[in-house]
Amino acid sequence: MSETKEQRVLQFVLQNAIRGDPKSVIDNIDKYCSQREWAMNVGDQKGLILDNVLKESNPNTVLELGTYCGYSTVRIARLLKPGARFLTVEFNPAFAAVAKQIIEFAGLKDKVQVIEGNTQDIIPQLKKKYEVDKLDFVFVDHWKDKYLPDTQLLEKCGLLAKGSVVLADNVITPGAPEFLKYVRTCGRYDCTNYPSFLEYMDERDALEKAVFRG
């Protein structure tokens, strides 16, 4: 057990999932995290909400804040239309290393750009360095205290346009009250709450969809 939990998740996927099959990768991560060791993926129940909101928005350009082991990255990437761009940002190099292997094993390496670094440094670089004009869909699932400042930074950098969807995980548990208050009261978003449960547990949680009014 000298490996980290994230490395054990990776090894379970490599040993049990089918290479090139995103659903098999997702199912095996869910199996490991529900039966062996809990991990902070969006999980199977909230994952279905993520899938549906993503399909509804049919985005051309997607940003994920918080890659972790690549679970939600694989969920998102497998549903994107041909030619869509997908950038995911991870601060922890060890998590990013695991995620890259999981994404590659799922056969989605060509669909995803993993960027290592701090979101407050990366977001202002998206337009010039990464040639992102605007974001159609943003999945927010990193440090909860960064939900609000990073959302406001996306606005400040002109990366959100009318209809851009910001979908945030864990808004009840562990919670992102400042983010919720802002998107619901600032007048710049139309919000929808999707009640669910914390990944692999009975504890209540929810996703919040905030659609930018422009």
Side-chain angles (χ1 to χ4, degrees):
M1 295 286 280
S2 59
E3 298 172 320
T4 64
K5 174 169 62 178
E6 292 73 29
Q7 288 168 328
R8 291 192 290 273
V9 169
L10 171 63
Q11 288 307 314
F12 189 83
V13 168
L14 297 180
Q15 290 163 13
N16 295 280
I18 301 164
R19 177 177 281 279
D21 184 340
K23 186 178 186 304
S24 175
V25 170
I26 291 164
D27 290 346
N28 276 280
I29 296 176
D30 283 334
K31 183 177 181 181
Y32 186 87
C33 296
S34 60
Q35 297 178 6
R36 300 198 184 187
E37 290 184 277
W38 183 91
M40 55 182 181
N41 311 305
V42 68
D44 48 356
Q45 293 186 60
K46 289 185 295 177
L48 292 174
I49 299 169
L50 167 60
D51 291 355
N52 290 332
V53 175
L54 183 76
K55 284 188 244 184
E56 284 168 12
S57 61
N58 193 28
N60 291 311
T61 309
V62 177
L63 174 68
E64 178 180 46
L65 303 180
T67 318
Y68 188 45
C69 290
Y71 173 90
S72 52
T73 315
V74 169
R75 283 201 90 108
I76 292 168
R78 83 194 203 285
L79 296 173
L80 294 178
K81 60 190 172 188
R85 284 194 71 196
F86 182 15
L87 302 92
T88 180
V89 182
E90 177 52 55
F91 178 72
N92 185 316
F95 294 169
V98 167
K100 286 175 183 176
Q101 291 179 76
I102 284 178
I103 293 161
E104 190 273 332
F105 187 84
L108 297 167
K109 185 181 175 186
D110 294 341
K111 288 194 167 191
V112 183
Q113 184 174 1
V114 180
I115 304 170
E116 293 181 48
N118 195 314
T119 50
Q120 67 195 38
D121 299 326
I122 305 286
I123 289 170
Q125 299 176 344
L126 288 175
K127 285 217 172 199
K128 283 194 174 178
K129 185 174 180 181
Y130 297 96
E131 298 179 336
V132 173
D133 178 37
K134 70 178 181 73
L135 297 163
D136 303 306
F137 189 94
V138 183
F139 184 52
V140 186
D141 194 15
H142 56 336
W143 290 303
K144 310 316 157 195
D145 61 352
K146 296 195 74 173
Y147 279 28
L148 177 56
D150 281 353
T151 299
Q152 291 174 325
L153 190 55
L154 290 169
E155 294 175 7
K156 182 182 174 185
C157 294
L159 287 157
L160 301 180
K162 183 178 172 62
S164 293
V165 174
V166 177
L167 183 67
D169 188 22
N170 300 124
V171 295
I172 303 299
T173 308
E178 295 88 359
F179 167 82
L180 280 185
K181 183 181 178 184
Y182 175 75
V183 293
R184 290 174 178 178
T185 63
C186 72
R188 307 186 79 179
Y189 296 89
D190 294 310
C191 295
T192 309
N193 187 262
Y194 297 90
S196 188
F197 293 91
L198 187 65
E199 46 271 24
Y200 318 117
M201 296 176 77
D202 292 331
E203 196 166 347
R204 294 203 168 275
D205 194 13
L207 292 160
E208 185 85 2
K209 178 175 80 168
V211 182
F212 193 62
R213 292 178 179 173

